[in-house]
């Protein structure tokens, strides 16, 4: 029988989450307020002065108090890796303290020890989107200030020293390129009076420097550890073969390349010189910045992939999310193009450009879901649509590996249902596990396995071979 799966026994199959999405317990264990605690809805809808009862993330699904139960379920599924984040404000409640919060540090010790019981490898984001301590955002304007880099680095050194024997894969930031779309949510930068394009690039530069310096610190503590920094991939196809559309797609894709060029090559790419000159963008960049960025590039590329987009010369949407419709692709309930082949294209493109190992840190399928009874009378969710979408993407990853691309891990978004960060609701359910936490804040928080739970378990235990059985491909 011809070989079908190219994943192999060492491929890191797993799932993902982030502290602000699922921990809850915002007022427990000495945790300080974070940016997310004052953004109850969509980031574009702005912030509140203080945490408000309509912010479902304050309680969320209470992983903080139920982590043993949840990690046991991840272990039952056979996760080889679990990607999550450390809540910065659990360790330094304001971000400026001389000493870290021991209760917060001990919580993550407990989480990593629990993961070790099931042989689950931690992939840890040092700070996920919106997890900056609120004090640093309000006092220093987040990463608009160079001072915040130093506070971030102190935090990094603290947690890496603490967990150096438990964590071997670190991510400095999550989806770093979203700083252009949501400066406050991503980088703690006030949007009250607007944020200019030049200011956004300056904030991004400070995050590049912070990431490079964090990588340097991590490597000094443990030279064998692997460090990355995630970006969100939104591949743009030209809307038509018209040369102007092809050019538009190339130029828009360069905003993705801009971030990965700096991560992987350690320098600003040549094509940004003209871009900055034509827009009169002048950044505060020191020789030390250039030096530290060049010397501390990433060990692997890590990225989120949910959909592709199209570009048109007549409808330029430079450096933001495109709403143009690709006539050859279906869209999901959220208006996103479903494009598994696009993932193979992205993987090959990045491999051609950088020759670095890759880890897909987010990919998934969200739906409005309700519990129903299965044939045995058990409460579950019959999520065949999730099985179909994830299966199609995994088969395209398999094709990329067969192409010769080095891909060593894949974590779905998400492992378990939790509050959506981009909408602030429980309506978008992403996980293999349904959680009884409802839009009005009610619910028992009881966990239920969806149909996809057993499907993913079989995918993992067969090293991907189950993806090619009749039951999965029909």
């Amino acid at each position: 029988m011809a070989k079908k799966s190219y994943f192999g026994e060492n491929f890191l199959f797993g799932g993902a989450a982030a502290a602000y999405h699922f921990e809850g317990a915002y007022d427990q264990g000495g945790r300080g307020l974070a940016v997310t605690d004052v953004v109850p809805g969509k980031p574009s809808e702005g912030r509140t002065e203080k945490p408000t009862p309509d912010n479902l993330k304050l309680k969320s699904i209470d992983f903080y108090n139920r982590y043993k139960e949840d990690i046991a379920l991840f272990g039952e599924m056979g996760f080889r890796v679990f990607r999550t984040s450390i809540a910065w404000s659990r360790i330094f409640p304001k971000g400026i303290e001389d000493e870290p919060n021991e209760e917060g540090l001990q919580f993550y010790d407990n989480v990593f020890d629990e993961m070790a019981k099931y042989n689950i490898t931690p992939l840890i984001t040092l700070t996920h989107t919106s997890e900056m301590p609120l004090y640093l955002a309000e006092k220093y304007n987040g990463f608009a200030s160079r001072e915040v880099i130093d506070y971030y680095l102190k935090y990094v050194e603290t947690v890496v020293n603490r967990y150096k024997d438990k964590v071997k894969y670190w991510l400095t930031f999550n989806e770093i390129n979203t700083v252009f779309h949501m400066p406050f949510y991503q980088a703690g930068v006030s949007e009250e009076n607007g944020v200019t394009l030049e200011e956004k690039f300056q904030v991004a530069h400070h995050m590049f420097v912070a990431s490079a310096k964090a990588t340097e610190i991590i490597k000094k503590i443990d030279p064998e550890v692997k460090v990355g920094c995630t970006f969100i991939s939104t591949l743009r196809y030209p809307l038509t073969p018209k040369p102007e559309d092809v050019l538009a797609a190339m130029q828009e894709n360069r905003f993705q390349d801009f971030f990965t060029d700096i991560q992987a090559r350690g320098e600003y790419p040549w094509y940004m010189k003209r871009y900055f000159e034509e827009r009169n963008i002048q950044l505060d960049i020191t020789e030390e910045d250039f030096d530290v960025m060049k010397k501390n590039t990433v060990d692997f590329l890590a990225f989120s992939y949910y959909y592709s987009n199209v570009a048109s010369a007549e409808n330029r949407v430079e450096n933001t999310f495109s709403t143009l419709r690709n006539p050859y692709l279906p869209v999901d309930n959220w208006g996103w193009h479903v494009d598994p082949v696009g993932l193979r294209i992205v993987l090959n493109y990045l491999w051609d450009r950088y020759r670095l190992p890759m880890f897909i840190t987010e990919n998934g399928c969200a739906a409005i879901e309700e519990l129903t009874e299965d044939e045995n009378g058990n409460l579950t969710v019959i999520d065949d649509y999730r099985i179909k979408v994830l299966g199609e993407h995994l088969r395209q990853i398999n094709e990329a590996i067969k192409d010769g691309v080095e891909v060593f891990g894949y974590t779905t978004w998400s492992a378990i249902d939790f509050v959506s960060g981009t909408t602030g609701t429980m309506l978008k359910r992403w996980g293999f596990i349904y959680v009884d936490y409802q839009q009005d804040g009610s619910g028992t928080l009881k966990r239920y396995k969806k149909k996809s739970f057993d499907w993913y378990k079989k995918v993992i235990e067969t090293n991907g071979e189950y993806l090619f059985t009749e039951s999965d491909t029909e």
Side-chain angles (χ1 to χ4, degrees), residues 56-311:
L56 297 179
K57 292 167 290 184
L58 302 179
K59 175 183 176 182
S60 194
I61 65 166
D62 199 28
F63 176 82
Y64 183 80
N65 293 300
R66 296 168 181 259
Y67 68 91
K68 289 186 178 181
E69 174 189 357
D70 291 337
I71 292 171
L73 287 167
F74 304 158
E76 183 181 343
M77 247 189 298
F79 278 13
R80 297 173 184 173
V81 62
F82 176 52
R83 178 199 174 210
T84 188
S85 64
I86 295 172
W88 186 348
S89 62
R90 281 203 190 281
I91 311 305
F92 290 99
K94 286 187 174 180
I96 62 169
E97 291 82 359
D98 291 332
E99 298 297 327
N101 171 33
E102 177 59 31
E103 193 171 355
L105 288 168
Q106 187 58 53
F107 169 69
Y108 293 105
D109 269 320
N110 296 341
V111 168
F112 299 147
D113 289 346
E114 201 67 23
M115 290 168 64
K117 290 180 183 179
Y118 301 94
N119 296 313
I120 300 174
T121 297
L123 171 62
I124 303 302
T125 308
L126 283 158
T127 184
H128 205 89
T129 308
S130 87
E131 291 178 357
M132 175 183 286
L134 183 61
Y135 181 85
L136 293 181
E138 295 182 333
K139 176 71 174 178
Y140 296 97
N141 202 23
F143 276 111
S145 167
R146 279 188 179 266
E147 289 181 80
V148 170
I149 297 176
D150 294 330
Y151 289 122
Y152 169 72
L153 295 177
K154 181 178 180 180
Y155 158 71
V156 169
E157 187 170 15
T158 299
V159 297
V160 175
N161 268 316
R162 177 73 171 227
Y163 308 124
K164 62 181 181 293
D165 296 326
K166 299 178 181 182
V167 178
K168 298 302 178 184
Y169 294 97
W170 294 98
L171 299 167
T172 55
F173 292 107
N174 174 67
E175 296 182 347
I176 188 170
N177 50 336
T178 60
V179 67
F180 284 93
H181 315 305
M182 41 189 187
F184 179 68
Y185 208 57
Q186 173 64 288
V189 176
S190 173
E191 298 177 32
E192 185 176 351
N193 298 314
V195 186
T196 68
L197 186 60
E198 181 176 85
E199 288 169 339
K200 290 177 181 179
F201 272 105
Q202 187 66 60
V203 173
H205 176 73
H206 289 163
M207 294 180 75
F208 294 145
V209 173
S211 181
K213 288 187 173 182
T215 301
E216 183 177 39
I217 289 169
I218 297 167
K219 291 287 191 174
K220 283 182 179 177
I221 295 171
D222 183 358
E224 301 303 312
V225 79
K226 301 299 181 184
V227 185
C229 174
T230 85
F231 63 97
I232 186 166
S233 172
T234 53
L235 172 69
R236 301 284 173 87
Y237 303 121
L239 182 61
T240 74
K242 186 168 63 174
E244 289 79 6
D245 285 355
V246 176
L247 179 63
M250 181 194 77
Q251 291 173 334
E252 290 178 26
N253 281 325
R254 279 182 170 172
F255 281 102
Q256 178 176 299
D257 297 339
F258 165 62
F259 283 83
T260 50
D261 281 351
I262 290 176
Q263 288 183 35
R265 295 172 174 165
E267 59 190 20
Y268 276 73
W270 58 270
Y271 51 81
M272 294 305 294
K273 181 179 179 181
R274 175 178 177 178
Y275 182 91
F276 288 154
E277 286 178 349
E278 290 181 349
R279 291 158 181 80
N280 195 30
I281 292 173
Q282 300 180 30
L283 303 182
D284 174 22
I285 303 177
T286 68
E287 288 302 317
E288 181 193 1
D289 293 345
F290 284 130
D291 185 60
V292 75
M293 288 162 57
K294 189 66 176 178
K295 291 178 178 177
N296 298 283
T297 54
V298 294
D299 296 309
F300 63 97
L301 291 180
F303 66 94
S304 309
Y305 177 85
Y306 292 103
Y307 54 85
S308 62
N309 275 320
V310 290

Side-chain angles (χ1 to χ4, degrees), residues 448-466:
Y448 299 88
K449 301 174 190 175
K450 301 179 188 179
K451 184 178 179 180
S452 58
F453 183 103
D454 290 326
W455 170 82
Y456 197 46
K457 180 179 180 179
K458 291 174 183 176
V459 170
I460 297 172
E461 67 188 11
T462 62
N463 295 319
E465 289 288 347
Y466 189 66

